[in-house]
Amino acid sequence: MRQLLYFLFTISVILIFSGCAYQVLTADKFLEKNELGKAKKRIDKAVEKEPEDIATQFMLAKYYSHPVWSYDAVDSAHLYIQSVSDTFPKLKIEAVDKLAKKGLDSLVIVEQTIIIDSLAYEKASSINTEEAYNAYLNNYQFLIYEEQAIELRNQVAYEDAIAQNTTQAVSDFFKKYPDAPQAQKARNVFETLYYEKKTQNKALSEYIEYVEERPQTNFANEATIIILNMISAGAKASDYQNFINQYDQFEASKKAQLVLEGLDYEEDVTELLTHKKDSLYYFYNLDEESLMPFQFDQVSTDSCTFIKEPFILSQQNNATYAYLKNGEKIIDLKIKSIDYLGSGFFKINDYGRENNLIHYSLNDELQQLALDFKKLDKLHFAKKMEDGWHLISILGEPILKQPVDSIWKEEDIFFFKKGNDMAVAASEDFKKLAKDDLKSLSFLYDDYEWLEEQYLRLYSDDYETILDFKAQLVFPLEKASYNFFNDFWIKEKDGDISVLDENKNPLFEEKLDDYQLKSGILALKKDSLWSIFNNGLNGFPKLQYDSIRIFNNWLTYAIQNSAEYLLFQSGQKVRLEEEESYRILKNYNVAFSDIADQIRFVEISNEEGYFKLYNGFGRKVKEGEKLDINILTPQLIQVHQSKKKQLIDSAGNEIKIENVEAFGAYQNGLIPILQDKKFGALIVDSLKIIPAHSQSKLEIFLKDSLYIFKEDNLLGISDVSAEILLNADFESIEFFNDSTAIVEEEGGIGILNIHQNEYLHENIDTYEKVDFGDKVYFIVRKEAGYGVINQIGEEIIPFIFNELSAHESKGKLYWLAERRLSEINYIVIAYFDQNGRVLFKEGLNFDDYLETACD
């Protein structure tokens, strides 16, 4: 269009100087009358004489742009009018004047040019192709219809590119026409096509590569979500953290972070205390030590006034709703039951057939419906559908190709059962390489058991497979039986027994016939003879015993050439003489229930009443006639012979104590000793003797230092030498601290300094000991009410409360107290920290209090 204006300006300048004439060429009269034949003859003659003459060129342009040709000859017309337009400005004024008198001037040329331009546009629009419009736009000068042509060209080019449905065609479009209105649409289509093509196999690697190549696109956000979902199958917490580190600029990383935070959600949830005031329930946050800003009409507490669950249940309009501890509603459902499954997920029954699984912060993305849900570990759930149980990640990513009847997890191994058959897998087996990469299971097994909590034995009829606790294969499925012994394997196959090392290589070339394995003792049999291994496998076994019986890890019975032996773990071998019998001695004191296997003594006796006592190393520690042997501790034995009582250690050394009438049962580090009808004690750790001075067994007040003795049915305190520190004047004595005791004297209870014999507190009605870590507190009731005393006797909460209790929450100790002001029908509740600092205090009317008070 600018070219046209420039041309008109040029022609106008010429006309200003040359003047205008409106006489037309003679041939033009025939064209106006549609007498094309006559016009053609005139033109042909001119072509013969002066083909390059501007008048001739003009008439050819006008002839070929005549309506009779429509636009079929427009290219020829354009060729001639272009020549005229180029030549006319170069003419001398005299020639211009001459032409003007014949009707050819600049305006006529412009008019004809416009006619030809219009015909060219008409031709392009009738063809309606990108090429046709570009031919018009690229070859014509004035471009009267430039805007229309560009608009139509862009549209038809865009439609052609879209129809091809290839990234090449679409990208070619917006590269050629970057300013076209359709360019952005084309770019969007290109991204869609490129994304679909790049990820057509839905492979994890494809999505990763796409994000690396084109991180700024919207599809990159979608791809990272898909990557996160895929890696959630079989994931560890570290996989989520690695994802966050790699894709921190994407929204998916925020989702991964919330997932990680949800893994420990229960640990982070605060415990609330609740009370009712003015018909509303208020909540006190123990972690923040502040009153929460929300209230509810009706609340179900899970323990008295405490809300320990990760949610609050509130009744509203005959329905129950659940709220997080910050007051946010979990989901807008009427709740029949709610269970916290872990990892930030709740299972909700809303009276429907299916349960809702929701996440505390990602509910919109992670909500699911199923008949039931079960947590397997922090990162995997099982959900029950109509066809069975499905394994899913906590992001809901499906893992199994087929449902199963049940799913559970032990150690790092997942177990799957279908009918009577089982399959196992580790979380690593669930890793996905593609979106549709669902795992098939091989149900090969019918039972299982753990071997020393290190290995998993899987049964399949007469076949066995051994896996370690991470589901790594140790022995493949084989018709054989395996047992694990310390660092060795026992393999039984086709009646042959092999001993294998940790690398599964045979330790002996010979095949064995049988074995026994008990309490860490291994016995091997070959050719009817047995060998015993007590301390590992060193060389081929020495086969020598006709039969054996393993009792425990330190004693085995064996027969060799008709002779009987007791074999000790130390290697000591004791022969049993004719008519000798043996028994393993035990101690039935509950104080040794946890270390019963450390009591290792065996008694050998004959019919004549001769006894021999051996310790667990096979060493004879005592022998003689008519011995009555009583095991007191793993190191001490009482021997009674001919009315003489004797105490010996496990090596047979006598511990001399004069005039012993009896030994008592071990308790709290002491063995009571009765001498002259009074009790003293042996301190087991030091073997020191506390002289007899008590009417009953001594009780420890302060270990290895002070003891409670009894005299005339009253209690006092003495030291290790039986020196009286506190006279026997008390009905009861209880440890308070190293120098102080809670005592009862003539029916009164007080806290007494035992060294100064002075009371720190008196007139105590009742007391309750509260142990918290390495500290001890006492809830004490006096006439005025309950209070709290610390371990050094200081009053940290005054004795003014009607009710007072201790409460532990997340490693902190709190005191909950109530004081009734009955004269004004008023209750004051107060919360204190461990050291007695007031955290919260509130006054309630009696009716509100009764609704929230504990029975």
Side-chain angles (χ1 to χ4, degrees), residues 28-277:
D28 193 37
K29 295 179 180 180
F30 298 115
L31 293 176
E32 291 178 356
K33 297 177 181 179
N34 293 326
E35 295 177 354
L36 269 66
K38 294 180 179 180
K40 186 64 168 59
K41 287 181 180 179
R42 294 285 179 94
I43 294 170
D44 287 344
K45 289 180 180 180
V47 170
E48 290 177 6
K49 293 180 179 179
E50 296 181 278
E52 303 297 330
D53 184 72
I54 190 171
T56 303
Q57 297 286 312
F58 176 78
M59 291 309 299
L60 283 169
K62 195 163 186 178
Y63 174 77
Y64 284 116
S65 58
H66 192 275
V68 73
W69 301 109
S70 182
Y71 45 72
D72 292 338
V74 70
D75 292 337
S76 297
H78 174 256
L79 179 66
Y80 292 120
I81 199 66
Q82 187 64 48
S83 175
V84 172
S85 298
D86 293 341
T87 303
F88 191 83
K90 300 175 183 178
L91 296 177
K92 294 180 179 181
I93 295 177
E94 294 82 1
V96 171
D97 291 341
K98 184 177 178 182
L99 289 172
K101 292 176 181 179
K102 295 181 178 181
L104 179 58
D105 56 24
S106 59
L107 291 178
V108 172
I109 295 171
V110 169
E111 289 175 357
Q112 195 59 43
T113 302
I114 291 172
I115 291 170
I116 294 170
D117 190 280
S118 300
L119 290 172
Y121 171 73
E122 187 178 348
K123 178 181 180 181
S125 61
S126 66
I127 299 172
N128 197 36
T129 65
E130 178 187 4
E131 293 76 10
Y133 289 117
N134 278 337
Y136 167 72
L137 293 168
N138 295 333
N139 297 322
Y140 286 83
Q141 184 178 9
F142 289 165
L143 299 177
I144 304 301
Y145 298 97
E146 180 180 23
E147 292 181 3
Q148 296 92 324
I150 290 174
E151 180 180 348
L152 293 172
R153 185 272 315 276
N154 290 344
Q155 184 62 32
V156 72
Y158 172 74
E159 292 172 355
D160 288 345
I162 295 301
Q164 294 180 56
N165 200 36
T166 66
T167 55
Q168 184 64 48
V170 176
S171 64
D172 285 347
F173 171 80
F174 62 71
K175 288 177 183 177
K176 286 191 294 184
Y177 312 118
D179 298 327
Q182 299 86 351
Q184 187 55 50
K185 291 168 61 177
R187 290 186 182 92
N188 294 340
V189 172
F190 170 83
E191 290 299 342
T192 302
L193 293 173
Y194 186 83
Y195 178 64
E196 291 174 350
K197 180 70 175 177
K198 185 69 177 179
T199 62
Q200 60 185 339
N201 297 316
K202 299 182 179 178
L204 177 62
S205 58
E206 292 176 342
Y207 291 104
I208 293 174
E209 289 175 5
Y210 177 83
V211 175
E212 290 175 352
E213 291 177 10
R214 308 186 73 77
Q216 304 303 322
T217 67
N218 290 332
F219 289 109
N221 289 317
E222 178 182 321
T224 52
I225 289 291
I226 294 173
I227 293 170
L228 177 60
N229 288 339
M230 268 198 272
I231 67 169
S232 70
K236 301 175 182 177
S238 58
D239 294 318
Y240 285 91
Q241 189 58 57
N242 292 338
F243 178 88
I244 294 168
N245 296 339
Q246 185 172 358
Y247 300 107
D248 61 327
Q249 72 272 35
F250 295 96
E251 286 295 320
S253 68
K254 296 179 182 178
K255 180 178 179 181
Q257 185 61 50
L258 289 171
V259 168
L260 284 184
E261 292 171 3
L263 299 185
D264 300 318
Y265 174 72
E266 188 172 13
E267 298 175 9
D268 295 334
V269 172
T270 186
E271 189 169 319
L272 301 180
L273 293 170
T274 184
H275 63 274
K276 192 172 185 181
K277 180 182 179 182

Side-chain angles (χ1 to χ4, degrees), residues 292-305:
M292 301 300 287
F294 55 87
Q295 301 86 38
F296 294 123
D297 290 336
Q298 294 294 327
V299 170
S300 298
T301 58
D302 26 277
S303 176
C304 190
T305 58

Side-chain angles (χ1 to χ4, degrees), residues 6-22:
Y6 175 76
F7 182 75
L8 289 172
F9 175 77
T10 304
I11 296 301
S12 300
V13 170
I14 294 171
L15 290 177
I16 291 171
F17 294 97
S18 62
C20 295
Y22 300 97

Side-chain angles (χ1 to χ4, degrees), residues 780-828:
V780 174
R781 182 176 181 177
K782 295 186 178 183
E783 183 178 358
Y786 286 96
V788 176
I789 298 173
N790 64 19
Q791 200 167 4
I792 61 176
E794 296 174 334
E795 177 186 301
I796 63 172
I797 295 180
F799 303 99
I800 61 172
F801 293 98
N802 301 98
E803 300 288 343
L804 198 152
S805 61
H807 178 66
E808 184 177 350
S809 174
K810 293 190 174 183
K812 293 182 179 180
L813 183 66
Y814 301 92
W815 306 102
L816 313 182
E818 300 171 2
R819 185 178 182 186
R820 303 185 187 96
L821 305 176
S822 55
E823 62 274 10
I824 58 173
N825 196 30
Y826 206 60
I827 301 290
V828 176

Side-chain angles (χ1 to χ4, degrees), residues 678-707:
K678 288 204 172 182
F679 284 92
L682 172 69
I683 303 174
V684 171
D685 290 345
S686 64
L687 297 182
K688 290 182 178 180
I689 303 297
I690 302 174
H693 64 288
S694 177
Q695 290 179 346
S696 63
K697 292 189 299 181
L698 294 173
E699 301 291 338
I700 293 177
F701 181 82
L702 184 62
K703 183 176 172 58
D704 298 331
S705 177
L706 300 178
Y707 303 89

Side-chain angles (χ1 to χ4, degrees), residues 402-404 416-418 421-423 440-445:
Q402 72 271 55
V404 295
F416 307 90
K417 193 165 186 180
K418 197 170 184 65
D421 298 323
M422 286 177 20
S440 296
L441 298 171
S442 298
F443 292 89
L444 301 176
Y445 311 109

Side-chain angles (χ1 to χ4, degrees), residues 266-455:
E266 188 172 13
E267 298 175 9
D268 295 334
V269 172
T270 186
E271 189 169 319
L272 301 180
L273 293 170
T274 184
H275 63 274
K276 192 172 185 181
K277 180 182 179 182
D278 299 332
S279 300
L280 290 176
Y281 280 83
Y282 289 75
F283 305 92
Y284 185 83
N285 186 317
L286 286 175
D287 282 356
E288 298 176 1
E289 297 182 356
S290 63
L291 197 66
M292 301 300 287
F294 55 87
Q295 301 86 38
F296 294 123
D297 290 336
Q298 294 294 327
V299 170
S300 298
T301 58
D302 26 277
S303 176
C304 190
T305 58
F306 307 117
I307 300 181
K308 301 178 182 179
E309 292 284 353
F311 50 82
I312 303 169
L313 289 180
S314 174
Q315 291 74 41
Q316 302 170 19
N317 300 324
N318 298 321
T320 301
Y321 297 92
Y323 295 81
L324 298 177
K325 292 292 188 70
N326 60 7
E328 177 185 342
K329 184 182 283 188
I330 292 177
I331 194 171
D332 196 14
L333 292 174
K334 297 179 180 179
I335 292 175
K336 180 180 180 182
S337 65
I338 179 170
D339 297 295
Y340 180 69
L341 296 187
S343 301
F345 283 89
F346 298 86
K347 180 176 71 173
I348 298 176
N349 182 335
D350 65 344
Y351 296 91
R353 186 165 178 268
E354 294 181 306
N355 286 305
N356 294 269
L357 182 70
I358 67 169
H359 189 268
Y360 80 102
S361 65
L362 293 169
N363 189 33
D364 291 341
E365 299 176 62
L366 300 183
Q367 184 178 357
Q368 293 192 63
L369 278 173
L371 297 177
D372 199 7
F373 293 94
K374 181 169 62 175
K375 178 187 175 184
L376 300 172
D377 60 26
K378 282 192 170 186
L379 296 165
H380 296 90
F381 286 167
K383 70 174 181 179
K384 188 176 184 181
M385 305 295 284
E386 294 287 353
D387 55 355
W389 285 92
H390 294 255
L391 178 64
I392 59 173
S393 75
I394 59 173
L395 297 185
E397 185 73 8
I399 295 173
L400 299 182
K401 185 171 288 186
Q402 72 271 55
V404 295
D405 295 336
S406 60
I407 306 174
W408 70 98
K409 187 180 182 185
E410 298 179 22
E411 298 293 337
D412 289 335
I413 301 179
F414 291 84
F415 291 79
F416 307 90
K417 193 165 186 180
K418 197 170 184 65
N420 294 321
D421 298 323
M422 286 177 20
V424 296
S427 58
E428 284 293 321
D429 299 326
F430 305 143
K431 294 289 188 182
K432 284 190 165 188
L433 298 178
K435 185 68 176 170
D436 300 327
D437 182 16
L438 299 177
K439 307 302 179 182
S440 296
L441 298 171
S442 298
F443 292 89
L444 301 176
Y445 311 109
D446 49 50
D447 203 356
Y448 74 98
E449 68 173 318
W450 287 96
L451 301 176
E452 298 187 11
E453 299 182 354
Q454 296 184 61
Y455 298 97

